[in-house]
Amino acid sequence: METVQYSGVEGEVNWHGTYLEMSEEYSHFMQNDVAARLHDQQGNDDFNAHLRGLASTGFAQNSLGAILAAEVTEQRDWAVGEAFAEAWLSKMHGVIWPWNLERDKRTPQASLPGADLIGFIEINNETRLLIGEVKTSSDTDTPPNVMNGRTGMIHQLEKLATDLSLIFQLLRWLQSRCKNTLYEKQFNATVGLLLNSGNKSVAIFGILIRDTTPCKKDLKARAETLAETIEAPTNCLLQAIYLPHPISSLPSLISDRVLS
């Protein structure tokens, strides 16, 4: 499904670009892994089952049906891109997501501060906190504008690696969602490792999703800049994923249609 187009290492920053080929495997990944992550399938199943248990009459069941049918399906390219990145990191790196950020979006227009990616990853038999950013761009410039400036990926990743107030906010947010769940043990392990490393043992991931021709200029200079900030034992992955179709097609490709 993937072909590595370029790669490199700058200090503690590993960077590479991969092209994904249109195939049956890719179709399955989009319609199952990405769709389930985008729509928070597990959360929706639990929610629907709970509410159905409260609908004790036929009238109540009809009322519930109207509520469930009113769900707004996510259609924004960048939101689908984030779900794509999470599903990809689970598939390729075994990343565990203890919470689906979709559950914190009170309205379709809501956005969450802090980080796009918050999860756990195993590195050298240690469970680390993974935090990061996802950018989706059809910009024909190399690198695309989403990588640059104060709102660009590189600046955001630098803040994730160095801003302890941001780490505090993320840990507080994550702790309340892991407490008394099967993820509490992993949360405790990641925090213990983080504290005993001088707040350095964390995995920083930056995922760039593109629909352009693969080009190492998308990442090379940005990786060199980021390497000036990232210090061991922090791990950093900077990855560009080049899609075999326009980014604008992402919402439709998670439907039941077979890719051709």
Short mmCIF file of all heavy atoms in Angstrom, two decimals, residues 41-96:
data_model
loop_
_atom_site.label_atom_id
_atom_site.label_comp_id
_atom_site.label_asym_id
_atom_site.label_seq_id
_atom_site.Cartn_x
_atom_site.Cartn_y
_atom_site.Cartn_z
N GLN A 41 -16.66 5.26 16.08
CA GLN A 41 -17.60 4.15 16.04
C GLN A 41 -17.84 3.52 17.40
O GLN A 41 -18.98 3.22 17.77
CB GLN A 41 -17.08 3.08 15.06
CG GLN A 41 -18.11 2.01 14.72
CD GLN A 41 -19.32 2.60 14.02
OE1 GLN A 41 -19.19 3.29 13.01
NE2 GLN A 41 -20.51 2.35 14.55
N GLN A 42 -16.76 3.34 18.18
CA GLN A 42 -16.93 2.73 19.50
C GLN A 42 -17.78 3.61 20.41
O GLN A 42 -18.69 3.13 21.09
CB GLN A 42 -15.57 2.49 20.14
CG GLN A 42 -15.66 1.86 21.53
CD GLN A 42 -14.29 1.63 22.16
OE1 GLN A 42 -13.26 1.90 21.54
NE2 GLN A 42 -14.29 1.14 23.38
N GLY A 43 -17.48 4.91 20.42
CA GLY A 43 -18.26 5.83 21.25
C GLY A 43 -19.71 5.90 20.82
O GLY A 43 -20.62 5.94 21.66
N ASN A 44 -19.95 5.91 19.50
CA ASN A 44 -21.31 5.95 19.01
C ASN A 44 -22.09 4.70 19.36
O ASN A 44 -23.27 4.76 19.72
CB ASN A 44 -21.31 6.15 17.49
CG ASN A 44 -21.19 7.61 17.09
OD1 ASN A 44 -21.43 8.49 17.91
ND2 ASN A 44 -20.81 7.86 15.86
N ASP A 45 -21.43 3.54 19.26
CA ASP A 45 -22.10 2.28 19.61
C ASP A 45 -22.52 2.27 21.08
O ASP A 45 -23.63 1.87 21.43
CB ASP A 45 -21.18 1.09 19.32
CG ASP A 45 -21.00 0.85 17.82
OD1 ASP A 45 -21.77 1.42 17.03
OD2 ASP A 45 -20.07 0.10 17.46
N ASP A 46 -21.61 2.73 21.95
CA ASP A 46 -21.92 2.78 23.39
C ASP A 46 -23.05 3.76 23.66
O ASP A 46 -23.97 3.49 24.45
CB ASP A 46 -20.68 3.18 24.18
CG ASP A 46 -19.60 2.11 24.17
OD1 ASP A 46 -19.91 0.96 23.83
OD2 ASP A 46 -18.44 2.45 24.49
N PHE A 47 -22.98 4.92 23.01
CA PHE A 47 -24.00 5.95 23.18
C PHE A 47 -25.37 5.46 22.72
O PHE A 47 -26.38 5.60 23.43
CB PHE A 47 -23.58 7.19 22.39
CG PHE A 47 -24.61 8.29 22.35
CD1 PHE A 47 -24.84 9.09 23.46
CD2 PHE A 47 -25.35 8.52 21.19
CE1 PHE A 47 -25.78 10.11 23.41
CE2 PHE A 47 -26.29 9.53 21.14
CZ PHE A 47 -26.51 10.33 22.25
N ASN A 48 -25.40 4.88 21.53
CA ASN A 48 -26.68 4.40 20.98
C ASN A 48 -27.29 3.30 21.84
O ASN A 48 -28.49 3.30 22.11
CB ASN A 48 -26.48 3.88 19.56
CG ASN A 48 -26.11 5.00 18.59
OD1 ASN A 48 -26.20 6.17 18.93
ND2 ASN A 48 -25.69 4.62 17.38
N ALA A 49 -26.44 2.37 22.30
CA ALA A 49 -26.94 1.27 23.13
C ALA A 49 -27.50 1.79 24.45
O ALA A 49 -28.54 1.33 24.93
CB ALA A 49 -25.82 0.26 23.38
N HIS A 50 -26.81 2.77 25.04
CA HIS A 50 -27.27 3.32 26.31
C HIS A 50 -28.62 4.00 26.15
O HIS A 50 -29.55 3.79 26.95
CB HIS A 50 -26.23 4.31 26.85
CG HIS A 50 -26.55 4.82 28.22
ND1 HIS A 50 -26.16 4.17 29.37
CD2 HIS A 50 -27.24 5.92 28.63
CE1 HIS A 50 -26.59 4.85 30.43
NE2 HIS A 50 -27.25 5.92 30.00
N LEU A 51 -28.76 4.83 25.11
CA LEU A 51 -30.02 5.55 24.92
C LEU A 51 -31.15 4.61 24.55
O LEU A 51 -32.30 4.82 24.96
CB LEU A 51 -29.85 6.63 23.85
CG LEU A 51 -29.55 8.04 24.40
CD1 LEU A 51 -28.24 8.04 25.19
CD2 LEU A 51 -29.52 9.07 23.29
N ARG A 52 -30.84 3.57 23.79
CA ARG A 52 -31.90 2.61 23.44
C ARG A 52 -32.42 1.91 24.69
O ARG A 52 -33.60 1.54 24.76
CB ARG A 52 -31.38 1.60 22.42
CG ARG A 52 -31.22 2.17 21.02
CD ARG A 52 -31.05 1.09 19.97
NE ARG A 52 -31.03 1.66 18.62
CZ ARG A 52 -29.93 1.96 17.95
NH1 ARG A 52 -28.74 1.71 18.50
NH2 ARG A 52 -29.99 2.49 16.75
N GLY A 53 -31.56 1.72 25.67
CA GLY A 53 -31.99 1.11 26.92
C GLY A 53 -32.91 2.00 27.72
O GLY A 53 -33.62 1.54 28.62
N LEU A 54 -32.91 3.31 27.42
CA LEU A 54 -33.78 4.26 28.13
C LEU A 54 -35.08 4.52 27.39
O LEU A 54 -36.00 5.13 27.96
CB LEU A 54 -33.03 5.59 28.31
CG LEU A 54 -31.71 5.51 29.07
CD1 LEU A 54 -31.03 6.88 29.09
CD2 LEU A 54 -31.94 5.01 30.50
N ALA A 55 -35.17 4.07 26.14
CA ALA A 55 -36.40 4.26 25.35
C ALA A 55 -37.31 3.08 25.60
O ALA A 55 -37.23 2.05 24.94
CB ALA A 55 -36.05 4.40 23.87
N SER A 56 -38.21 3.22 26.58
CA SER A 56 -39.01 2.08 27.05
C SER A 56 -40.34 1.91 26.34
O SER A 56 -41.03 0.90 26.53
CB SER A 56 -39.27 2.24 28.56
OG SER A 56 -39.91 3.48 28.83
N THR A 57 -40.72 2.86 25.51
CA THR A 57 -42.00 2.75 24.79
C THR A 57 -41.76 2.93 23.30
O THR A 57 -40.71 3.40 22.86
CB THR A 57 -42.99 3.83 25.26
OG1 THR A 57 -42.51 5.12 24.88
CG2 THR A 57 -43.17 3.78 26.79
N GLY A 58 -42.74 2.56 22.53
CA GLY A 58 -42.63 2.73 21.09
C GLY A 58 -42.48 4.19 20.70
O GLY A 58 -41.71 4.53 19.79
N PHE A 59 -43.22 5.07 21.41
CA PHE A 59 -43.12 6.50 21.13
C PHE A 59 -41.71 7.00 21.42
O PHE A 59 -41.13 7.77 20.64
CB PHE A 59 -44.14 7.28 21.97
CG PHE A 59 -44.12 8.76 21.72
CD1 PHE A 59 -44.74 9.30 20.61
CD2 PHE A 59 -43.47 9.61 22.61
CE1 PHE A 59 -44.72 10.67 20.38
CE2 PHE A 59 -43.44 10.98 22.38
CZ PHE A 59 -44.08 11.51 21.27
N ALA A 60 -41.14 6.56 22.55
CA ALA A 60 -39.79 6.97 22.94
C ALA A 60 -38.77 6.46 21.93
O ALA A 60 -37.80 7.15 21.60
CB ALA A 60 -39.46 6.47 24.34
N GLN A 61 -38.98 5.26 21.42
CA GLN A 61 -38.06 4.70 20.44
C GLN A 61 -38.09 5.50 19.14
O GLN A 61 -37.06 5.72 18.50
CB GLN A 61 -38.41 3.24 20.18
CG GLN A 61 -38.11 2.33 21.38
CD GLN A 61 -38.63 0.92 21.19
OE1 GLN A 61 -39.15 0.57 20.14
NE2 GLN A 61 -38.52 0.10 22.23
N ASN A 62 -39.29 5.96 18.75
CA ASN A 62 -39.39 6.79 17.56
C ASN A 62 -38.70 8.13 17.77
O ASN A 62 -38.04 8.66 16.86
CB ASN A 62 -40.86 7.02 17.20
CG ASN A 62 -41.53 5.75 16.68
OD1 ASN A 62 -40.87 4.85 16.16
ND2 ASN A 62 -42.85 5.68 16.81
N SER A 63 -38.85 8.68 18.98
CA SER A 63 -38.20 9.95 19.30
C SER A 63 -36.69 9.80 19.27
O SER A 63 -35.96 10.66 18.76
CB SER A 63 -38.64 10.44 20.69
OG SER A 63 -40.03 10.67 20.72
N LEU A 64 -36.21 8.68 19.81
CA LEU A 64 -34.77 8.42 19.80
C LEU A 64 -34.28 8.26 18.38
O LEU A 64 -33.20 8.75 18.03
CB LEU A 64 -34.45 7.16 20.62
CG LEU A 64 -32.99 6.70 20.59
CD1 LEU A 64 -32.06 7.79 21.11
CD2 LEU A 64 -32.82 5.42 21.40
N GLY A 65 -35.05 7.57 17.56
CA GLY A 65 -34.66 7.38 16.17
C GLY A 65 -34.47 8.71 15.47
O GLY A 65 -33.54 8.87 14.66
N ALA A 66 -35.32 9.69 15.77
CA ALA A 66 -35.21 11.01 15.16
C ALA A 66 -33.93 11.71 15.60
O ALA A 66 -33.26 12.38 14.81
CB ALA A 66 -36.43 11.85 15.52
N ILE A 67 -33.57 11.54 16.89
CA ILE A 67 -32.34 12.15 17.40
C ILE A 67 -31.12 11.53 16.74
O ILE A 67 -30.22 12.23 16.27
CB ILE A 67 -32.26 12.00 18.93
CG1 ILE A 67 -33.30 12.89 19.61
CG2 ILE A 67 -30.85 12.34 19.43
CD1 ILE A 67 -33.33 12.77 21.11
N LEU A 68 -31.08 10.20 16.67
CA LEU A 68 -29.93 9.51 16.09
C LEU A 68 -29.79 9.81 14.61
O LEU A 68 -28.67 9.91 14.09
CB LEU A 68 -30.05 8.00 16.32
CG LEU A 68 -30.06 7.54 17.79
CD1 LEU A 68 -30.17 6.02 17.87
CD2 LEU A 68 -28.81 8.02 18.52
N ALA A 69 -30.90 9.99 13.93
CA ALA A 69 -30.86 10.28 12.49
C ALA A 69 -30.39 11.70 12.21
O ALA A 69 -30.02 12.04 11.08
CB ALA A 69 -32.23 10.06 11.86
N ALA A 70 -30.38 12.55 13.26
CA ALA A 70 -30.00 13.95 13.08
C ALA A 70 -28.50 14.17 13.24
O ALA A 70 -28.04 15.31 13.17
CB ALA A 70 -30.75 14.82 14.09
N GLU A 71 -27.74 13.10 13.43
CA GLU A 71 -26.29 13.24 13.58
C GLU A 71 -25.70 13.91 12.33
O GLU A 71 -26.03 13.55 11.19
CB GLU A 71 -25.64 11.88 13.78
CG GLU A 71 -24.12 11.95 13.91
CD GLU A 71 -23.48 10.57 14.03
OE1 GLU A 71 -24.21 9.57 13.93
OE2 GLU A 71 -22.25 10.51 14.23
N VAL A 72 -24.82 14.89 12.56
CA VAL A 72 -24.16 15.59 11.47
C VAL A 72 -22.88 14.85 11.11
O VAL A 72 -21.99 14.68 11.94
CB VAL A 72 -23.83 17.05 11.86
CG1 VAL A 72 -23.08 17.75 10.72
CG2 VAL A 72 -25.11 17.80 12.21
N THR A 73 -22.78 14.39 9.87
CA THR A 73 -21.61 13.66 9.42
C THR A 73 -20.47 14.62 9.11
O THR A 73 -20.66 15.62 8.42
CB THR A 73 -21.93 12.84 8.15
OG1 THR A 73 -23.02 11.95 8.43
CG2 THR A 73 -20.73 12.03 7.71
N GLU A 74 -19.29 14.32 9.63
CA GLU A 74 -18.12 15.17 9.42
C GLU A 74 -17.70 15.14 7.95
O GLU A 74 -17.50 14.08 7.37
CB GLU A 74 -16.97 14.67 10.29
CG GLU A 74 -15.70 15.48 10.17
CD GLU A 74 -15.87 16.92 10.59
OE1 GLU A 74 -15.87 17.19 11.79
OE2 GLU A 74 -16.02 17.77 9.68
N GLN A 75 -17.59 16.33 7.34
CA GLN A 75 -17.24 16.42 5.93
C GLN A 75 -16.04 17.32 5.67
O GLN A 75 -15.64 17.50 4.52
CB GLN A 75 -18.45 16.97 5.14
CG GLN A 75 -19.62 16.01 5.07
CD GLN A 75 -19.32 14.76 4.26
OE1 GLN A 75 -18.61 14.81 3.25
NE2 GLN A 75 -19.86 13.63 4.69
N ARG A 76 -15.45 17.91 6.71
CA ARG A 76 -14.32 18.82 6.50
C ARG A 76 -13.06 18.03 6.18
O ARG A 76 -12.72 17.07 6.87
CB ARG A 76 -14.12 19.69 7.74
CG ARG A 76 -15.26 20.66 8.00
CD ARG A 76 -15.15 21.32 9.36
NE ARG A 76 -15.30 20.34 10.44
CZ ARG A 76 -15.23 20.65 11.74
NH1 ARG A 76 -14.98 21.90 12.09
NH2 ARG A 76 -15.38 19.72 12.65
N ASP A 77 -12.34 18.46 5.14
CA ASP A 77 -11.15 17.74 4.69
C ASP A 77 -10.14 17.56 5.81
O ASP A 77 -9.58 16.49 5.99
CB ASP A 77 -10.48 18.49 3.53
CG ASP A 77 -11.36 18.54 2.29
OD1 ASP A 77 -12.37 17.81 2.25
OD2 ASP A 77 -11.04 19.32 1.38
N TRP A 78 -9.88 18.63 6.57
CA TRP A 78 -8.85 18.56 7.61
C TRP A 78 -9.24 17.60 8.73
O TRP A 78 -8.38 16.92 9.31
CB TRP A 78 -8.54 19.95 8.17
CG TRP A 78 -9.67 20.59 8.94
CD1 TRP A 78 -10.58 21.48 8.46
CD2 TRP A 78 -10.00 20.38 10.33
NE1 TRP A 78 -11.47 21.83 9.46
CE2 TRP A 78 -11.13 21.19 10.61
CE3 TRP A 78 -9.45 19.61 11.35
CZ2 TRP A 78 -11.71 21.23 11.88
CZ3 TRP A 78 -10.02 19.64 12.61
CH2 TRP A 78 -11.15 20.45 12.87
N ALA A 79 -10.54 17.54 9.05
CA ALA A 79 -10.99 16.62 10.10
C ALA A 79 -10.83 15.17 9.65
O ALA A 79 -10.41 14.30 10.43
CB ALA A 79 -12.44 16.90 10.47
N VAL A 80 -11.16 14.90 8.38
CA VAL A 80 -10.94 13.56 7.84
C VAL A 80 -9.45 13.26 7.80
O VAL A 80 -9.01 12.15 8.07
CB VAL A 80 -11.56 13.43 6.43
CG1 VAL A 80 -11.38 12.00 5.91
CG2 VAL A 80 -13.03 13.79 6.45
N GLY A 81 -8.64 14.28 7.50
CA GLY A 81 -7.19 14.12 7.49
C GLY A 81 -6.65 13.72 8.86
O GLY A 81 -5.76 12.86 8.96
N GLU A 82 -7.18 14.31 9.93
CA GLU A 82 -6.74 13.94 11.27
C GLU A 82 -7.12 12.50 11.59
O GLU A 82 -6.33 11.75 12.18
CB GLU A 82 -7.35 14.90 12.30
CG GLU A 82 -6.74 16.29 12.27
CD GLU A 82 -7.29 17.19 13.34
OE1 GLU A 82 -8.07 16.71 14.19
OE2 GLU A 82 -6.94 18.40 13.34
N ALA A 83 -8.34 12.10 11.21
CA ALA A 83 -8.75 10.72 11.44
C ALA A 83 -7.88 9.76 10.63
O ALA A 83 -7.52 8.68 11.10
CB ALA A 83 -10.22 10.54 11.05
N PHE A 84 -7.52 10.17 9.41
CA PHE A 84 -6.64 9.38 8.56
C PHE A 84 -5.29 9.19 9.26
O PHE A 84 -4.76 8.08 9.32
CB PHE A 84 -6.45 10.08 7.22
CG PHE A 84 -5.63 9.30 6.22
CD1 PHE A 84 -6.25 8.61 5.19
CD2 PHE A 84 -4.24 9.25 6.31
CE1 PHE A 84 -5.50 7.88 4.28
CE2 PHE A 84 -3.50 8.53 5.41
CZ PHE A 84 -4.11 7.85 4.38
N ALA A 85 -4.72 10.28 9.79
CA ALA A 85 -3.42 10.21 10.45
C ALA A 85 -3.47 9.29 11.67
O ALA A 85 -2.55 8.48 11.90
CB ALA A 85 -2.96 11.60 10.86
N GLU A 86 -4.52 9.38 12.46
CA GLU A 86 -4.64 8.53 13.65
C GLU A 86 -4.75 7.06 13.26
O GLU A 86 -4.11 6.20 13.87
CB GLU A 86 -5.86 8.96 14.47
CG GLU A 86 -5.69 10.32 15.13
CD GLU A 86 -6.92 10.78 15.87
OE1 GLU A 86 -8.01 10.17 15.69
OE2 GLU A 86 -6.82 11.75 16.63
N ALA A 87 -5.58 6.77 12.26
CA ALA A 87 -5.72 5.39 11.80
C ALA A 87 -4.40 4.86 11.24
O ALA A 87 -4.03 3.70 11.46
CB ALA A 87 -6.83 5.30 10.75
N TRP A 88 -3.68 5.72 10.53
CA TRP A 88 -2.40 5.34 9.95
C TRP A 88 -1.37 5.03 11.04
O TRP A 88 -0.65 4.03 10.96
CB TRP A 88 -1.90 6.45 9.03
CG TRP A 88 -0.58 6.15 8.39
CD1 TRP A 88 0.66 6.62 8.78
CD2 TRP A 88 -0.33 5.29 7.28
NE1 TRP A 88 1.64 6.12 7.96
CE2 TRP A 88 1.05 5.30 7.03
CE3 TRP A 88 -1.17 4.53 6.47
CZ2 TRP A 88 1.62 4.55 6.00
CZ3 TRP A 88 -0.59 3.80 5.44
CH2 TRP A 88 0.78 3.82 5.21
N LEU A 89 -1.30 5.88 12.05
CA LEU A 89 -0.33 5.67 13.12
C LEU A 89 -0.67 4.42 13.94
O LEU A 89 0.23 3.74 14.43
CB LEU A 89 -0.28 6.91 14.03
CG LEU A 89 0.33 8.15 13.38
CD1 LEU A 89 0.24 9.34 14.33
CD2 LEU A 89 1.77 7.90 12.98
N SER A 90 -1.93 4.12 14.08
CA SER A 90 -2.33 2.87 14.75
C SER A 90 -1.88 1.67 13.94
O SER A 90 -1.34 0.70 14.48
CB SER A 90 -3.84 2.83 14.96
OG SER A 90 -4.26 3.80 15.88
N LYS A 91 -2.10 1.74 12.63
CA LYS A 91 -1.79 0.62 11.75
C LYS A 91 -0.28 0.40 11.61
O LYS A 91 0.20 -0.74 11.67
CB LYS A 91 -2.39 0.87 10.36
CG LYS A 91 -2.13 -0.22 9.32
CD LYS A 91 -2.78 0.14 8.00
CE LYS A 91 -2.50 -0.90 6.92
NZ LYS A 91 -3.13 -2.19 7.22
N MET A 92 0.48 1.47 11.45
CA MET A 92 1.90 1.36 11.13
C MET A 92 2.82 1.43 12.35
O MET A 92 3.95 0.93 12.30
CB MET A 92 2.29 2.46 10.14
CG MET A 92 1.45 2.49 8.88
SD MET A 92 1.41 0.89 7.99
CE MET A 92 3.13 0.76 7.47
N HIS A 93 2.36 2.06 13.43
CA HIS A 93 3.23 2.25 14.59
C HIS A 93 2.62 1.72 15.89
O HIS A 93 3.24 1.86 16.95
CB HIS A 93 3.57 3.74 14.77
CG HIS A 93 4.36 4.31 13.62
ND1 HIS A 93 5.73 4.20 13.53
CD2 HIS A 93 3.96 4.99 12.52
CE1 HIS A 93 6.15 4.80 12.43
NE2 HIS A 93 5.10 5.28 11.79
N GLY A 94 1.44 1.14 15.81
CA GLY A 94 0.82 0.58 17.01
C GLY A 94 0.42 1.61 18.04
O GLY A 94 0.32 1.29 19.23
N VAL A 95 0.17 2.84 17.61
CA VAL A 95 -0.21 3.90 18.54
C VAL A 95 -1.59 3.60 19.13
O VAL A 95 -2.50 3.15 18.43
CB VAL A 95 -0.22 5.27 17.85
CG1 VAL A 95 -0.74 6.36 18.79
CG2 VAL A 95 1.18 5.62 17.35
N ILE A 96 -1.71 3.84 20.43
CA ILE A 96 -2.98 3.63 21.14
C ILE A 96 -3.59 4.99 21.45
O ILE A 96 -2.92 5.87 22.01
CB ILE A 96 -2.75 2.85 22.44
CG1 ILE A 96 -2.22 1.45 22.13
CG2 ILE A 96 -4.04 2.77 23.26
CD1 ILE A 96 -1.78 0.68 23.35
#
